[in-house]
Amino acid sequence: GATDYAQEDWVNGHLAVVAVDIGGNWLGAWTIFAAGISNLALFEAKMSSDAFQLMGMAERGYLPKIFAKRSKFGTPTTGI
């Protein structure tokens, strides 16, 4: 492999250590940056899907009608 690390060495945050070992500090920094952006994108996707679920429940009468409000683009504004 590219490194001599054992499987037990792979704990939280170890991917950045391996990236530094393989490509230097710039690759480690980009790996951390990409992981952060990925976490933000996953959070946004989860919040968006929850907002559409709230909107659907409001349209069926299970939640107050305020959650059924949409923007001009069809986005559920109150649920977000």
Side-chain angles (χ1 to χ4, degrees), residues 2-58:
T3 65
D4 294 326
Y5 291 109
Q7 186 174 357
E8 297 80 32
D9 295 334
W10 286 83
V11 295
N12 289 340
H14 192 69
L15 183 61
V17 173
V18 172
V20 169
D21 287 350
I22 293 173
N25 288 334
W26 70 271
L27 184 59
W30 274 107
T31 301
I32 293 170
F33 176 75
I37 295 298
S38 176
N39 284 336
L40 289 173
L42 285 169
F43 175 75
E44 180 61 35
K46 177 65 176 155
M47 293 301 293
S48 295
S49 67
D50 288 346
F52 276 100
Q53 189 171 25
L54 289 174
M55 183 187 66
M57 290 174 72

